Amino acid sequence: MAELVFQQCIDPRCGGTAALSDTTFACPKCGGLLDVAYDWNRLPVPKSLQHFESKWANRADPLDFSGVWRFRELFPFAPESAIVTIGEGQTLCQRADAVAAYAGLNAGGLFLQYEGMNPSGSFKDNGMSAAFTHARMTGATRAACASTGNTSASLAIYCAATQLMRGVIFIGSGKISYGKLSQALEHGALTVQIQGDFDDALRRVQEVSRQLGIYLVNSVNPFRLEGQKSIMFRVLEALRWEVPDWVVVPGGNLGNVSSFAKAFRELAELGLIARVPRLAVINAAGADTFYQLHEKQGLRWAGGRFGRAQVEAYYAALDAGDRHADTLASAIEINRPVNLPKALRAMEWCNGVVRAVADADILDAKAKIGAGGLGCEPASAASVAGLRQLVREGVIDKDARVACVLTGHLLKDPDETVAYHSADRAAFDAKLGKRGVKSVGFANRATQVPNDLAAIVKAIETSA
Ligand SMILES: *Cc1c(COP(=O)(O)O)cnc(C)c1O
Ligand SMILES: [Zn+2]
């Protein structure tokens, strides 16, 4: 009899499969990406999503406490005894009327799914708990990733908190925020900095992992994407199981968007939701491969028959022009997204669109999100900057109900935030000006006052 859970090539014409325990993370027939696949006919499926509310009363059980694993029936690849959790997924989905107004939506229309509350401060923990679980099932003792920062922070914290694995982190010599690097170092991961950008680091980590048999936790690992489905389950939960009209998410390696589409597709197939939301993926303008290919060149999934030669030609042109990804939003500074085929499929499944936004717009949106009460890093704010653009274009209706995913915490990169709000032109230029940001819309400058009571009182009274 066929396996209950296995790995399956995403190309329906290929038919390649791999065992649940396989850690190659490439189709054995065509080398393409794999999905985790389930024989739902032989697995217990809840009758409705309300079923998951019963877990709230059972918080003493770490599996029900976890914002990832309380939904484990929707990605049942692990026996409960193997599950690794450090309490991830205790996140907020906050109605944000002030940010809605900025984006052009009606009050009550915007919800910010704030993933900065995870143990390592980004959404990556949702996926890492799932990857660690799979790694444990396969007996791995070392795990590696290439990272623009948050994957390494997450890997490091899971290694430290569980003591199950030794973490090996590859970072490029390009931008990595100090907050993220400090996490990798503080939590004791072996950190290897190679000369080159993220795309180079990712190629190397895949080679090294294969050669040394180290478990790979980059988002080419389909088990990570299973864990990230829970971000959408929590959005639905917060919306009392009503599907929003749109989900807007920043796009880097395109793991999140791929995961979200799979989540909605499966929920629809299982009869747990009546329709899927539309998806909007937001690139930074300086790292806009997905935008260029999907929107400008019209590349489509086409049941797996998408133009692979077209993608190769695009990458060849990048190389020929020595064009590297370049944006302040370091978490999405990626020009060769490993999950591109899955993301194309996601666009087809969820009638998606892709946009690219300038760094200056990202920073303004970030300041507005912060003024609205949630602190996020630049990459996260791309979602709101993209939403604003899509409302202006009329693609997203101002009456729509929208969930924007804020992928990481403000304090990942405080330098950028301080530079944005700084009145000190040198500080601004050092961090932002040299990156092409000319001015900022919503700077909250510190007020300079002499050390004098009357002057201080006057400064306070005249400001408010
Ligand atoms: C990893 C990351 C992203 C990009 O997510 P993908 O799944 O790679 O598209 C966006 N924002 C933050 C904060 C991240 O850490
Ligand atoms: Zn295949």
Side-chain angles (χ1 to χ4, degrees):
M1 195 193 275
E3 299 292 329
L4 279 178
V5 185
F6 53 101
Q7 300 181 64
Q8 184 175 45
C9 181
I10 65 165
D11 186 343
R13 301 163 309 160
C14 169
T17 60
L20 170 60
S21 61
D22 194 278
T23 59
T24 318
F25 307 139
C27 172
K29 278 177 75 180
C30 73
L33 295 167
L34 297 169
D35 277 327
V36 181
Y38 306 94
D39 183 350
W40 292 111
N41 291 325
R42 291 192 289 141
L43 286 160
V45 178
K47 290 202 173 33
S48 78
L49 289 170
Q50 277 81 6
H51 159 80
F52 294 102
E53 294 174 11
S54 66
K55 313 272 183 181
W56 302 339
N58 202 29
R59 292 166 64 88
D61 177 346
L63 300 194
D64 286 340
F65 177 73
S66 166
V68 172
W69 295 103
R70 73 168 176 267
F71 298 103
R72 58 194 175 279
E73 286 132 301
L74 299 174
F75 43 99
F77 68 82
E80 293 198 347
S81 59
I83 289 175
V84 178
T85 173
I86 64 169
E88 59 288 318
Q90 309 302 320
T91 59
L92 268 180
C93 184
Q94 194 171 84
R95 176 175 156 170
D97 285 355
V99 185
Y102 174 66
L105 287 182
N106 288 342
L110 179 62
F111 295 81
L112 297 176
Q113 174 64 22
Y114 183 49
E115 290 293 316
M117 291 173 75
N118 276 293
S120 81
S122 86
F123 80 83
K124 298 293 197 301
D125 295 347
N126 294 282
M128 202 56 67
S129 67
F132 256 62
T133 297
H134 183 246
R136 183 192 215 175
M137 289 164 66
T138 66
T141 58
R142 289 186 293 186
C145 69
S147 179
T148 59
N150 280 330
T151 303
S152 56
S154 184
L155 171 59
I157 214 170
Y158 273 82
C159 287
T162 66
Q163 301 283 315
L164 285 170
M165 229 134 342
R166 175 91 171 115
V168 185
I169 287 160
F170 281 60
I171 53 177
S173 48
K175 285 189 289 298
I176 176 166
S177 79
Y178 263 51
K180 299 171 192 179
L181 183 57
S182 68
Q183 289 179 288
L185 300 174
E186 181 85 351
H187 297 305
L190 172 62
T191 305
V192 183
Q193 188 156 22
I194 67 159
Q195 271 169 20
D197 61 12
F198 171 81
D199 299 309
D200 299 319
L202 183 59
R203 265 177 287 196
R204 286 297 179 209
V205 78
Q206 285 176 304
E207 285 168 13
V208 172
S209 298
R210 239 162 247 167
Q211 189 167 332
L212 298 180
I214 303 177
Y215 187 91
L216 188 67
V217 298
N218 276 103
S219 60
V220 41
N221 178 327
F223 293 90
R224 251 190 64 188
L225 303 195
E226 290 304 290
Q228 288 166 214
K229 292 194 301 192
S230 68
I231 301 169
M232 289 301 109
F233 302 151
R234 296 197 297 277
V235 165
L236 293 179
E237 183 178 52
L239 300 180
R240 306 316 315 257
W241 313 113
E242 266 179 45
V243 179
D245 299 310
W246 286 88
V247 172
V248 187
V249 61
N253 256 324
L254 304 175
N256 247 351
V257 62
S258 304
S259 161
F260 298 172
K262 185 171 189 278
F264 288 120
R265 174 104 170 167
E266 287 171 344
L267 289 180
E269 279 173 359
L270 294 172
L272 293 170
I273 54 174
R275 64 176 177 90
V276 301
R278 295 188 69 184
L279 292 178
V281 179
I282 313 301
N283 277 161
D288 64 348
T289 293
F290 193 37
Y291 171 68
Q292 291 294 336
L293 289 172
H294 188 267
E295 301 293 329
K296 294 286 179 187
Q297 299 193 15
L299 186 69
R300 291 295 181 273
W301 170 242
R305 275 182 292 270
F306 71 96
R308 288 176 171 76
Q310 191 180 337
V311 177
E312 286 314 314
Y314 183 83
Y315 290 155
L318 285 182
D319 289 343
D322 199 24
R323 271 151 56 208
H324 295 273
D326 183 26
T327 166
L328 279 164
S330 58
I332 52 174
E333 189 177 45
I334 295 171
N335 257 351
R336 293 174 188 262
V338 292
N339 287 298
L340 178 74
K342 276 189 183 175
L344 287 172
R345 186 181 65 171
M347 295 296 93
E348 183 175 297
W349 280 351
C350 294
N351 192 11
V353 300
V354 189
R355 290 294 181 271
V357 290
D359 280 1
D361 296 332
I362 289 176
L363 292 176
D364 284 346
K366 175 173 161 301
K368 281 292 183 186
I369 295 163
L374 292 175
C376 69
E377 65 173 286
S380 312
S383 60
V384 169
L387 167 65
R388 184 158 184 263
Q389 189 170 316
L390 286 163
V391 173
R392 281 189 170 168
E393 287 175 26
V395 174
I396 295 184
D397 198 273
K398 65 178 175 28
D399 300 325
R401 252 179 140 214
V402 181
C404 278
V405 183
L406 301 183
T407 43
H409 200 284
L410 173 72
L411 297 177
K412 292 282 187 174
D413 196 354
D415 289 5
E416 233 158 46
T417 306
V418 173
Y420 180 91
H421 292 291
S422 178
D424 175 352
R425 196 68 210 183
F428 179 86
D429 282 344
K431 194 74 191 170
L432 308 180
K434 72 168 187 195
R435 312 209 53 79
V437 178
K438 297 275 176 294
S439 66
V440 293
F442 309 109
N444 176 26
R445 303 246 150 77
T447 306
Q448 306 294 327
V449 195
N451 184 11
D452 171 82
L453 182 61
I456 293 168
V457 167
K458 180 159 171 256
I460 293 170
E461 292 295 0
T462 53
S463 79

